[in-house]
């Protein structure tokens, strides 16, 4: 069966796969163009991934960082939104293949399917050290973190209690640093008055990084500042040691074993299988190597953008896998489609790096704009304002601003809810916790 895109006003059919930062931006930018658009995503929501760690650490609710795609495009009558999973591309017949057997015909195809966490060939670690990419991941992590404190409250064996109160984060990029800082504050400030048998301030948060410094993408002095700031609030930073094993009882790194019941993976990414779908060249992380105009080699009618592609900027450095890069590429592709329909050609894509930001704790952040660098409280305010600005909708902006001010003033995190199961699934679980398998977002 073939699902036909409604196409009365203009026959040029654009299919966009992925409503993340890149795909949504392409769709927005094509407004007014003489095309019909079918936007396909296997989730029904667009997700603001930069704040996922705040859901994982009970600071924000899921609905504050995600929006139904259908709702975002409700005013765009030429756009059809489909909730479906793409499983391949039949490039010869210009059809996108869905996993339920349907196919979507296209004249122009845009692949914006993003990336996922990767375990450097050790996928068996995933159940013990989940990554953070989806709302389900975030609520699963939130559950694990909160359940660990609940179990520790009832645990009488000191070694088991210590393992329950040890939180290990693998990878000290922005996500790892943000998680480490926030979990520490959760333990030290938010949870402290609420427990009777444990001192939550004694929880250990261990951040393990194989490279020589935290925040490797930032300038050296900002990395050093971030490390100092983390250590000041009690995070144990381990550098230059690779993790060699993750299990239900802990982690091994640099030949040492650490007993820990909560492990979080923030170390590697692998691109979506877009390159496999097209038998196109890819780099080691599976990123599709696109032409300078973001088309797939041999297929001028197929564009690929965002985290799923590898492309260099004008200085030869790889364009980073961050939201602004995906959005710039989305805008470029939309402009190219419009130019082509006018019979024109655009110059190659040029990436402009606006800067990098990371939050360290609730009053500290680092900002690296290249020539201009900032750290500390002022950087935190700028970080906060920038993130609120990029959220969608006034209600969410207000809600997030209020949640952050509340955390700032009262150390209270409103989203401290253990969902996806009752205390029965929380009881003693020496090996695999059944709750860990449940991954429905709230
Ligand atoms: C925890 C975390 C924190 C981050 N923090 C920051 C930050 O602070 N600043 C920053 O700039 N960037 C940050 N990033 C990176 C940023 O989110 C990505 O660079 C950006 O999302 C890439 O956009 P994209 O459109 O390529 O992919 P995505 O935004 O990931 O969108 C891909 C879309 O494709 C859909 N999809 C995938 N496969 C299929 C399929 N087979 N069928 C149908 N649909 C499919 C997915 O459901 C998703 O909606 C962070 C990422 C993570 C995971």
């Amino acid at each position: 069966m073939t699902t036909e895109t409604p196409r009365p006003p203009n026959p040029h059919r654009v299919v966009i796969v992925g409503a993340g930062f890149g795909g949504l931006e392409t769709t927005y930018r094509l407004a007014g163009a003489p095309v019909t658009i079918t936007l396909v995503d296997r989730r029904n929501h667009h997700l603001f991934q930069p704040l996922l760690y705040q859901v994982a650490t009970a600071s924000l609710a899921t609905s504050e960082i995600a929006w139904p795609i259908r709702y975002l495009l409700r005013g765009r009558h030429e756009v059809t939104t489909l909730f479906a999973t793409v499983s391949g591309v039949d490039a010869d017949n210009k059809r996108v293949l869905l996993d339920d057997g349907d196919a979507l015909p296209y004249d122009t195809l845009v692949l914006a399917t993003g990336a996922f966490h990767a375990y450097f060939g050790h996928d068996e670690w995933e159940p013990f050290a989940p990554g953070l990419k989806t709302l389900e991941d975030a609520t699963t992590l939130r559950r694990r973190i909160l359940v660990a404190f609940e179990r520790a409250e009832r645990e009488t064996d000191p070694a088991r209690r210590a393992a329950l109160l040890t939180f290990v984060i693998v990878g000290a990029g922005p996500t790892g640093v943000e998680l480490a800082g926030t979990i520490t504050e959760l333990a030290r400030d938010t949870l402290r008055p609420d427990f009777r048998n444990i001192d939550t301030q004694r929880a250990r948060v261990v951040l393990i990084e194989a490279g020589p410094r935290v925040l490797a993408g930032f300038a050296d002095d900002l990395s050093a500042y971030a490390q100092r700031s983390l250590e000041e609030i009690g995070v144990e930073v381990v550098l230059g040691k690779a993790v060699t094993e993750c299990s239900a009882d802990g982690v091994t790194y640099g030949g040492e074993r650490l007993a820990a019941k909560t492990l979080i993976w923030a170390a590697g990414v692998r691109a979506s299988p877009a390159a496999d779908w097209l038998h196109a060249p890819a780099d080691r992380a599976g990123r599709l190597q696109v032409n300078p105009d973001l088309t797939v080699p041999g297929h001028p009618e197929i564009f690929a953008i965002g985290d799923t592609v590898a492309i260099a900027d004008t200085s030869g450095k790889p364009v980073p896998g961050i939201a602004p890069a995906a959005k710039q590429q989305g805008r470029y592709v939309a402009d190219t489609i419009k130019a082509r329909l006018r019979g024109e050609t655009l110059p190659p894509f040029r990436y402009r790096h606006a800067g990098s930001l990371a939050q360290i704790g609730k009053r500290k952040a680092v900002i690296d704009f290249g020539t201009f660098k900032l750290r500390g409280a002022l950087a935190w305010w700028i970080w906060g304002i920038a993130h609120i600005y990029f959220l969608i909708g006034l209600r969410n902006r207000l809600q997030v601003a209020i949640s952050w001010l509340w955390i700032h003033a009262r150390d209270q995190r409103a989203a401290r809810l253990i969902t996806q199961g009752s205390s029965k699934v929380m009881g003693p679980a020496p090996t695999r916790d059944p709750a860990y398998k449940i991954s429905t977002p709230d």
Side-chain angles (χ1 to χ4, degrees):
M1 191 187 124
T2 294
T3 306
E4 275 291 341
T5 309
R7 29 176 280 189
N10 195 296
H12 192 90
R13 296 160 303 179
V14 179
V15 172
I16 300 172
V17 186
F21 285 102
L24 199 58
E25 195 68 16
T26 313
T27 312
Y28 283 154
R29 187 77 161 204
L30 278 171
V35 296
T36 57
I37 300 170
T38 303
L39 178 59
V40 191
D41 202 296
R42 62 181 175 189
R43 311 252 164 208
N44 86 327
H45 50 266
H46 169 75
L47 177 61
F48 193 78
Q49 293 169 30
L51 291 180
L52 262 180
Y53 78 97
Q54 298 232 349
V55 173
T57 52
S59 308
L60 294 177
T62 52
S63 59
E64 287 173 329
I65 64 158
W67 304 265
I69 300 161
R70 205 170 280 295
Y71 165 78
L72 295 176
L73 297 165
R74 67 197 181 287
R76 294 279 301 280
H77 297 289
E78 83 286 17
V79 181
T80 301
T81 301
L82 297 184
F83 177 45
T85 300
V86 169
S87 56
V89 177
D90 173 6
D92 293 338
N93 296 302
K94 293 192 178 177
R95 294 182 328 148
V96 171
L97 308 175
L98 304 184
D99 69 345
D100 56 13
D102 271 9
L104 306 169
Y106 62 81
D107 298 312
T108 298
L109 173 61
V110 183
L111 295 174
T113 38
F116 313 93
H117 31 263
Y119 289 82
F120 309 120
H122 286 283
D123 289 352
E124 72 276 11
W125 293 348
E126 184 167 17
F128 313 115
L132 188 57
K133 180 69 189 171
T134 63
L135 283 183
E136 289 91 335
D137 293 337
T139 53
T140 299
L141 281 180
R142 183 180 72 191
R143 176 177 173 77
R144 285 194 184 197
I145 293 166
L146 296 177
V147 164
F149 284 103
E150 295 295 339
R151 280 220 193 110
E153 175 81 346
R154 288 178 52 199
E155 181 59 70
T156 49
D157 178 83
R160 281 204 293 264
R161 181 184 273 186
L164 284 164
L165 290 177
T166 301
F167 300 84
V168 174
I169 298 132
V170 185
T175 300
V177 164
E178 289 171 336
L179 278 166
T182 317
I183 294 172
T184 305
E185 287 175 348
L186 181 72
R188 202 187 57 176
D189 305 325
T190 309
L191 299 180
R192 189 175 47 86
D194 300 3
F195 284 82
R196 299 293 170 264
N197 300 324
I198 54 169
D199 178 0
T200 61
Q201 294 187 98
R202 298 183 68 170
R204 289 178 69 187
V205 177
V206 184
L207 179 63
I208 304 173
E209 166 60 47
R213 60 190 178 105
V214 306
L215 296 181
F218 288 65
D220 282 350
D221 55 331
L222 294 181
S223 285
Y225 172 80
Q227 183 178 342
R228 269 199 318 277
S229 304
L230 287 171
E231 287 170 344
E232 273 165 22
I233 59 172
V235 176
E236 297 170 42
V237 180
V238 178
L239 297 175
K241 292 192 177 164
V243 165
T244 50
E245 204 211 332
C246 296
S247 71
D249 299 317
V251 61
T252 306
Y253 60 94
E256 277 174 54
R257 181 79 187 155
L258 175 64
K261 282 289 179 191
T262 309
L263 313 181
I264 304 174
W265 190 262
V269 290
R270 175 143 196 99
S272 77
D276 296 342
W277 294 339
L278 294 161
H279 310 292
D283 70 4
R284 279 176 53 206
R287 284 182 288 244
L288 203 161
Q289 285 168 326
V290 284
N291 293 321
D293 64 354
L294 302 179
T295 56
V296 174
H299 293 284
E301 74 289 2
I302 305 179
F303 295 89
I305 58 173
D307 281 6
T308 204
V309 305
I311 187 166
D313 65 15
T314 42
S315 67
K317 283 200 298 195
V319 171
I322 55 174
K327 288 171 90 167
Q328 286 178 32
Q329 293 174 359
R331 285 196 287 274
Y332 173 84
V333 165
D335 290 347
T336 302
I337 294 170
K338 289 191 274 190
R340 284 182 180 180
L341 292 171
R342 294 191 303 267
E344 296 166 11
T345 310
L346 293 186
F349 169 71
R350 271 191 68 173
Y351 171 65
R352 286 177 186 79
H353 188 60
S356 308
L357 297 83
Q359 190 207 16
I360 303 166
K362 82 184 165 191
R363 289 185 188 90
K364 283 182 182 168
V366 286
I367 296 181
D368 191 344
F369 288 142
T371 47
F372 171 68
K373 297 180 180 55
L374 201 60
R375 59 197 201 186
L378 182 58
W380 183 82
W381 281 101
I382 295 173
W383 172 93
I385 291 165
H387 281 72
I388 286 173
Y389 173 79
F390 284 114
L391 291 171
I392 300 174
L394 181 64
R395 189 174 65 98
N396 277 37
R397 289 188 182 124
L398 287 174
Q399 266 176 350
V400 170
I402 290 169
S403 297
W404 284 351
L405 287 175
W406 205 248
I407 292 169
H408 206 69
R410 307 289 301 269
D411 287 324
Q412 280 312 313
R413 289 175 158 82
R416 268 170 52 196
L417 305 176
I418 297 175
T419 54
Q420 308 158 24
S422 70
S423 65
K424 284 194 182 128
V425 290
M426 191 205 91
T431 52
R432 288 286 294 280
D433 178 349
Y436 290 0
K437 293 184 197 157
I438 301 169
S439 61
T440 320
D442 57 356

